[in-house]
Amino acid sequence: MARYIEDYALVGDLHTAAMVSRDGSVDWLCLPRFDSPACFAALVDDESAGCWRLAPRDGRDSSRRRYRGDSLILESEWDTPSGSVRIIDFMPPRGEAADMVRIVEGLSGTVDMRMTLRLRFDYGRIVPWVRSESGELAAVAGPDAVWLATPVPTRGEDLATLAEFTVHEGQRVPFVLTYQVSHKPRPRRVDPESALSDTVSFWSQWLRGCQYQGEWSDEVHRALMLLKALTYRPTGGILAAATTSLPEQLGGSRNWDYRFCWLRDASFTLQALLGTGYEGEAAAWRDWFLRAVAGDPAQLQIMYTLDGTRRIPEYTVDWLRGYEGSSPVRVGNAASEQFQLDVWGEVLDGLHLERESGIAPTEVAWDLQQAMLEFLEGNWKRPDDGLWEIRGPRRQFVHSKVMAWAGFDRAVTAVEKFGLSGDANRWRRLRDEVHAEVCAKGFDADRGTFTQSYGSRGLDAASLLIPRVGFLPWRDRRVVGTVEAIQRELCSDGFVLRYLDDDSDNVDGLPGAEGAFVPCTFWLVDALHGMGRTDEARRLYERMLDLRNDVGMLSEEYDTTNRRQLGNTPQAFSLVGLVNSARWLSGTSTNTSTPDWS
């Protein structure tokens, strides 16, 4: 039986991440990078697709778990009739190779333990050749090689590696899994205790750079650490999520690969990182962005790989059954080829935010932004695929036009406030033209609300961002009317859906439905706060915090009927919403898009 998405915690080394279940099983791990093929893929099938289980022999779930202090070190504890045991899971900062360390610690009495390592490379498809080598286990399959070092005797059984042992109070038994490409020699062995100390130091030192001092500090700190864990350290790229194909509808086909860097998601992430003092991460992302998009601005993509590669072909992994039968399991993402007009504005807004935060603009960055503005000037009137990556016909999406307005607006500010070169008068005229068109064609005066696209009656949660980017004031009657319409027509149990895809409109061209969208509900928190309905906003924010699992993980969506998280996890977009809403509710935001209280 599949585990709930809430049953998983993440450990990672800023190159990749492992998903660890309450029962002590690592059910998802891609090596050596986030977007590499998984060697443990039980998350989207069952244990036959690969997993690494370490737990008491009776197979029960852990009694409790937590991250150790200010770190990404997971501690899971089991209470059994004969004693108690703790398993410490972590991935030390990447050195020569990728390592995952698991330390079994006896807390009281004695506990009989069982370890099952079932390596399956290429998303569960390839069984490696396993042999004993210099007192440890070595597994090889094509380009991949893994070593398991442990003092515990192991044996092979049913194409898996097993170990059974008893841990006593005060005893510590380590397991170290190390990956290297198979044509290279075995990397230097990692001392598990030294690696633990190094990992504690890394994360505690990183969190000391946090400048957030508002309410919900523990929740914000944990969200920031998970966001950091989604950063690919070699390049500065920021992932949307650590998994692929966790469904938006249980049993459905809305299953996507999120192990890539969306420009839009990263721009929102910059708001959270810059607003909490992490300028280094923001500068690293800007450098990644400049490398990724170098070339013709007309060829700007909505997403790139960790290293900036543009080709992200999508295919299905048909030998995997999918999470709770939700198929297909997809690798790659065809949405990378879509035209989403809003991304130009999102990027220009993100780089504007860097300027506002004191990160000095570079000549190369400004040259690129001017080229993007030139493209935007010639293309803002085109229909596009929209923020939500619809796979139906292109439309004149209101949010896309609003973000085109934001792009021109930030350009005017760059010239007038920061003294950068450019034709501010031309950009001002374009800004005003876009504004007038959106208000004339994207607003339904009879219903008092902005619509999803020109001429449609459907609503779009992205309209909640209209005041956030400064297009209209928070308390403008059109904004208030839009917020109230979304609360009436686009909410399930108070949580916001992205849009309604009924038979009459068929916006996204996909079968089935989906859950409430977590980031959109945080946008509603911000909108209520901006409108002066702060008590209501705070109540909704607290409800959102309750959706997190016991270690602070948030996925993309929430099933209000079954009371379960849905979609890929942990989701950067969701964590960003948690951080930014806390900043604004606490009055600690210095973002230029902060609600205007005047």
Side-chain angles (χ1 to χ4, degrees):
M1 182 176 180
R3 310 293 310 195
Y4 279 19
I5 293 171
E6 293 93 322
D7 287 336
Y8 288 94
L10 177 143
V11 297
D13 66 355
L14 309 186
H15 290 243
T16 190
M19 302 295 291
V20 186
S21 177
R22 292 181 192 273
D23 65 358
S25 182
V26 180
D27 288 345
W28 182 257
L29 176 61
C30 302
L31 290 170
R33 304 191 338 175
F34 290 102
D35 57 353
S36 299
C39 62
F40 301 138
L43 178 66
V44 286
D45 195 276
D46 61 24
E47 64 179 17
S48 66
C51 61
W52 183 15
R53 191 164 187 274
L54 180 59
R57 196 177 302 173
D58 63 10
R60 68 183 67 199
D61 282 0
S62 57
S63 305
R64 56 197 164 272
R65 61 179 181 171
R66 62 186 175 275
Y67 285 114
R68 177 185 291 190
D70 295 330
S71 79
L72 210 66
I73 297 167
L74 180 66
E75 297 183 333
S76 305
E77 296 178 1
W78 282 259
D79 296 328
T80 75
S82 61
S84 298
V85 66
R86 173 186 297 141
I87 295 179
I88 304 167
D89 288 318
F90 63 97
M91 298 187 74
R94 182 72 64 95
E96 181 184 355
D99 299 287
M100 181 168 181
V101 181
R102 314 191 75 180
I103 299 174
V104 182
E105 179 183 8
L107 300 179
S108 66
T110 61
V111 181
D112 293 332
M113 302 292 295
R114 182 181 178 93
M115 189 276 307
T116 304
L117 174 65
R118 186 172 280 105
L119 284 161
R120 297 291 186 268
F121 293 108
D122 193 24
Y123 300 103
R125 191 174 195 179
I126 299 175
V127 180
W129 181 264
V130 180
R131 66 193 186 280
S132 179
E133 183 179 279
S134 302
E136 61 184 10
L137 205 70
V140 178
D144 303 303
V146 164
W147 292 262
L148 177 68
T150 179
V152 175
T154 62
R155 70 178 191 275
E157 182 179 305
D158 191 25
L159 297 179
T161 299
L162 275 64
E164 293 179 332
F165 60 99
T166 299
V167 64
H168 300 265
E169 180 178 347
Q171 186 180 7
R172 293 168 75 92
V173 182
F175 295 80
V176 181
L177 191 76
T178 301
Y179 174 89
Q180 180 63 287
V181 290
S182 60
H183 66 273
K184 291 187 177 182
R186 198 247 195 262
R188 289 188 300 272
R189 289 168 176 78
V190 168
D191 176 74
E193 298 295 344
S194 297
L196 177 60
S197 177
D198 291 344
T199 307
V200 170
S201 298
F202 173 84
W203 285 106
S204 59
Q205 181 177 351
W206 184 81
L207 194 58
R208 280 198 290 271
C210 182
Q211 298 176 8
Y212 180 76
Q213 297 180 343
E215 296 180 73
W216 306 288
S217 59
D218 289 345
E219 292 84 351
V220 168
H221 290 167
R222 179 53 55 193
L224 287 169
M225 297 186 75
L226 291 168
L227 282 172
K228 176 66 173 176
L230 294 174
T231 301
Y232 185 59
R233 194 176 190 182
T235 65
I238 301 171
L239 274 76
T243 58
T244 181
S245 300
L246 292 181
E248 297 173 1
Q249 180 185 36
L250 294 174
S253 62
R254 295 170 181 255
N255 319 314
W256 317 109
D257 192 349
Y258 276 17
R259 297 171 297 155
F260 306 109
C261 306
W262 269 254
L263 297 187
R264 178 188 307 107
D265 288 17
S267 297
F268 277 90
T269 303
L270 284 178
Q271 296 177 30
L273 291 173
L274 284 169
T276 52
Y278 289 106
E279 294 184 0
E281 282 73 10
W285 177 84
R286 181 186 64 185
D287 293 342
W288 168 86
F289 165 75
L290 292 175
R291 295 190 301 269
V293 306
D296 185 353
Q299 296 179 324
L300 182 75
Q301 295 186 182
I302 68 166
M303 73 179 85
Y304 298 83
T305 68
L306 306 172
D307 58 13
T309 298
R310 298 184 179 217
R311 284 180 50 80
I312 313 177
E314 179 178 302
Y315 62 94
T316 60
V317 185
D318 295 328
W319 58 88
L320 295 176
R321 290 174 291 182
Y323 178 86
E324 292 197 14
S326 305
S327 62
V329 173
R330 291 182 172 91
V331 172
N333 200 308
S336 61
E337 301 175 3
Q338 288 188 344
F339 172 55
Q340 297 180 20
L341 179 68
D342 72 291
V343 170
W344 276 260
E346 299 282 6
V347 170
L348 291 165
D349 185 44
L351 294 172
H352 161 79
L353 179 61
E354 286 197 334
R355 290 191 293 271
E356 289 281 358
S357 300
I359 298 178
T362 66
E363 183 176 347
V364 171
W366 181 238
D367 287 345
L368 175 62
Q369 289 170 78
Q370 290 185 88
M372 291 177 65
L373 287 159
E374 182 177 352
F375 175 84
L376 195 58
E377 179 178 357
N379 290 272
W380 72 266
K381 293 186 177 182
R382 290 172 54 191
D384 73 314
D385 297 302
L387 166 73
W388 304 127
E389 300 173 3
I390 64 163
R391 301 200 176 192
R394 288 180 175 176
R395 302 181 180 224
Q396 299 284 4
F397 286 103
V398 169
H399 174 73
S400 298
K401 309 305 184 190
V402 168
M403 292 313 301
W405 173 92
F408 294 129
D409 178 75
R410 289 0 175 209
V412 172
T413 304
V415 174
E416 296 182 345
K417 182 175 180 179
F418 294 96
L420 298 179
S421 61
D423 191 344
N425 288 329
R426 187 178 86 202
W427 292 328
R428 186 182 294 105
R429 287 193 297 271
L430 286 164
R431 179 188 66 183
D432 294 345
E433 182 183 354
V434 176
H435 196 282
E437 180 179 295
V438 170
C439 291
K441 297 182 178 180
F443 184 76
D444 185 337
D446 294 335
R447 297 162 63 209
T449 181
F450 283 96
T451 58
Q452 184 173 51
S453 60
Y454 292 173
S456 75
R457 289 184 56 81
L459 301 180
D460 191 332
S463 298
L464 294 168
L465 297 173
I466 286 174
R468 181 169 174 168
V469 300
F471 186 86
L472 287 173
W474 292 87
R475 301 186 186 186
D476 184 279
R477 61 175 178 79
R478 291 163 290 185
V479 170
V480 173
T482 300
V483 172
E484 291 176 346
I486 287 172
Q487 286 187 291
R488 271 193 321 271
E489 303 178 31
L490 209 57
C491 282
S492 175
D493 192 26
F495 301 117
V496 182
L497 304 171
R498 294 189 296 179
Y499 52 86
L500 293 178
D501 191 44
D502 56 33
D503 293 337
S504 63
D505 215 11
N506 192 26
V507 175
D508 62 19
L510 294 169
E514 62 178 23
F517 202 70
V518 171
C520 294
T521 308
F522 283 119
W523 298 346
L524 178 57
V525 169
D526 302 338
L528 292 171
H529 184 46
M531 290 161 50
R533 294 160 57 179
T534 300
D535 289 344
E536 185 179 353
R538 293 174 69 89
R539 288 193 298 271
L540 182 56
Y541 183 77
E542 294 281 1
R543 289 189 68 197
M544 294 301 294
L545 293 181
D546 289 341
L547 300 187
R548 301 173 308 138
N549 73 356
D550 55 323
V551 291
M553 298 263 286
L554 259 182
S555 66
E556 182 183 35
E557 298 188 0
Y558 183 70
D559 183 336
T560 58
T561 300
N562 296 305
R563 305 294 178 185
R564 294 179 56 180
Q565 291 189 24
L566 295 173
N568 288 306
T569 191
Q571 175 78 4
F573 224 178
S574 300
L575 297 167
V576 162
L578 186 156
V579 173
N580 285 334
S581 291
R583 292 170 52 226
W584 293 333
L585 289 171
S586 297
T588 63
S589 173
T590 57
N591 190 330
T592 54
S593 298
T594 300
D596 180 5
W597 307 117
S598 59

